[in-house]
Amino acid sequence: MDLDLPAISQLLARAAALESQDPLTRDRILLKRRIALLFYESSTRTRTSFELAAKSLGADTTLVSSLSSSIEKGETLKDTGLTLRALGAEAIIIRHNSSGAPWLLEQETRLPILNAGDGMHEHPTQALLDLRTILTHLDLSSKTVIPSEARAASAAEGSAVSSSTLSGVTVTIVGDILHSRVARSNMLLLPRLGARVILCGPTQLLPDSAANAGPGISVERDFEAALRQSQVVMMLRIQAERLAGLQIDLGQYKDAYQLTGQRLAAHAPKALVMHPGPIIRGLELTAGVADGPQSAILEQVRHGVAIRMAVVERALTAQPKEGRA
Ligand code: CP
């Protein structure tokens, strides 16, 4: 995430403006511009929301998936990118299992590249939509995060962000931090707005060295102690596809780190519960919590479309070499 705070404020403001704009005028913004979605990993939320976002702005989109394209025959990322450019793509949205793939693609194609998640590295638009979700629940006067049931009247959604917007707000990220690009992007973003970030999980999924990840970030192994300090709890899925032989005892994991209704009621009855998805009901959280009044999980999904409209618009209208999401 190499966006500065004014650029983040601008994206948030554009997301709000585009979301409320008449679809009949909004779809002229990128009318007939060509955008390729290049997905080497499966996705539901990110792929669909990027596609809906681009189409809402009038762009034509095409999906290239590793399972149904010449990537299966061995075509490289470089050659795939050059081919998409030759076909008229003006920007590429990429999800890849290797960290740094978006950077490489940009070097090779010189097109605007949007990172839809690269390996264990980053998922910048997820962090932006997570930020928008938190801001819609942030009461500016009391600097408290109000969960869904009693949403803040003075929500900070439309305001410019600064280095103190989230001061006094503690966000706990729980679970498989080691393999999570969502955790990494949020760890890079939220402390810059003044949030305190607690990382919580077992040593196998959260090495001790994470305590040195940056200012405003600390490690707490005791989930209930972390919950008691939190206004926002961000649960993560165990990324089975990236464990590479690491054995996790799921029974022990659930005992220590599953977010249950009982735990939530006892230790964080006013916290906002978030999860980037996909959720695994009965593992990192119970169905009751996922569907409960403190859950903002589907709101996060909804914010994905607005944020990605703003990001796609920026990519196709900004001057080259500005900060990218
Ligand atoms: N949050 C997220 O990246 O979900 P998908 O893998 O479904 O895109």
Side-chain angles (χ1 to χ4, degrees):
M1 169 95 57
D2 56 3
L3 294 168
D4 59 19
L5 293 183
I8 291 167
S9 296
Q10 205 171 23
L11 279 173
L12 291 167
R14 279 307 287 160
L18 289 166
E19 191 174 50
S20 58
Q21 190 171 339
D22 180 349
L24 294 177
T25 59
R26 191 173 59 199
D27 74 1
R28 290 185 209 139
I29 294 173
L30 296 180
L31 192 64
K32 292 292 167 196
R33 304 289 298 272
R34 291 181 177 175
I35 299 175
L37 296 116
L38 177 55
F39 275 64
Y40 286 76
E41 281 186 349
S42 55
S43 166
T44 299
R45 282 147 285 271
T46 312
R47 189 187 73 68
T48 310
S49 59
F50 259 124
E51 187 172 349
L52 289 173
K55 286 192 161 129
S56 296
L57 300 176
D60 288 338
T61 64
T62 186
L63 171 68
V64 177
S65 149
S66 58
L67 290 180
S68 58
S69 68
S70 289
I71 297 166
E72 269 194 316
K73 303 172 194 164
E75 191 163 45
T76 63
L77 175 62
K78 171 180 173 171
D79 290 322
T80 303
L82 293 175
T83 301
L84 291 174
R85 191 181 70 182
L87 286 166
E90 297 170 72
I92 300 176
I93 297 161
I94 180 172
R95 168 167 289 192
H96 202 285
N97 47 345
S98 295
S99 302
W103 178 85
L104 181 70
L105 189 62
E106 184 180 80
Q107 297 301 305
E108 298 294 355
T109 64
R110 296 285 159 195
L111 290 175
I113 303 298
L114 292 170
N115 184 356
D118 62 326
M120 298 191 291
H121 178 224
E122 277 229 55
H123 196 346
T125 56
Q126 179 71 45
L128 288 170
L129 74 89
D130 289 343
L131 172 62
R132 188 173 197 237
T133 306
I134 294 170
L135 292 176
T136 58
H137 289 269
L138 179 67
D139 185 274
L140 279 175
S141 51
S142 61
K143 280 294 175 94
T144 50
V145 177
I146 315 287
S148 308
E149 260 189 338
R151 201 170 139 166
S154 61
E157 190 178 0
S159 311
V161 293
S162 72
S163 58
S164 62
T165 297
L166 295 180
S167 61
V169 174
T170 298
V171 179
T172 293
I173 308 178
V174 189
D176 187 358
I177 314 284
L178 181 64
H179 302 105
S180 175
R181 53 198 177 206
V182 174
R184 213 163 320 283
S185 286
N186 272 299
M187 285 158 63
L188 286 168
L189 178 63
L190 297 177
R192 287 166 59 200
L193 279 73
R196 184 172 158 237
V197 172
I198 299 176
L199 306 177
C200 184
T203 46
Q204 287 161 299
L205 301 176
L206 173 59
D208 288 331
S209 57
N212 306 318
I217 299 173
S218 58
V219 168
E220 170 59 71
R221 303 276 174 205
D222 180 338
F223 186 25
E224 291 171 3
L227 280 176
R228 286 193 288 275
Q229 301 170 61
S230 304
Q231 292 192 45
V232 179
V233 190
M234 215 177 264
M235 302 304 297
L236 298 175
R237 174 178 71 91
I238 295 178
Q239 302 207 14
E241 68 275 28
R242 298 188 218 283
L243 289 183
L246 196 64
Q247 298 296 321
I248 306 292
D249 182 321
L250 293 183
Q252 280 180 12
Y253 183 83
K254 287 199 280 189
D255 285 348
Y257 296 107
Q258 185 183 66
L259 188 58
T260 62
Q262 201 177 22
R263 246 183 193 139
L264 195 59
H267 302 289
K270 294 184 175 168
L272 191 69
V273 175
M274 298 174 63
H275 193 308
I279 62 171
I280 308 297
R281 290 170 185 258
L283 209 171
E284 68 270 15
L285 80 177
T286 60
V289 170
D291 301 330
Q294 289 174 249
S295 171
I297 295 170
L298 293 177
E299 281 178 55
Q300 290 172 264
V301 175
R302 183 171 57 76
H303 288 306
V305 179
I307 284 293
R308 288 171 179 132
M309 277 197 282
V311 167
V312 167
E313 179 193 46
R314 187 176 194 273
L316 281 165
T317 54
Q319 296 302 309
K321 290 293 149 203
E322 283 190 15
R324 284 172 293 111

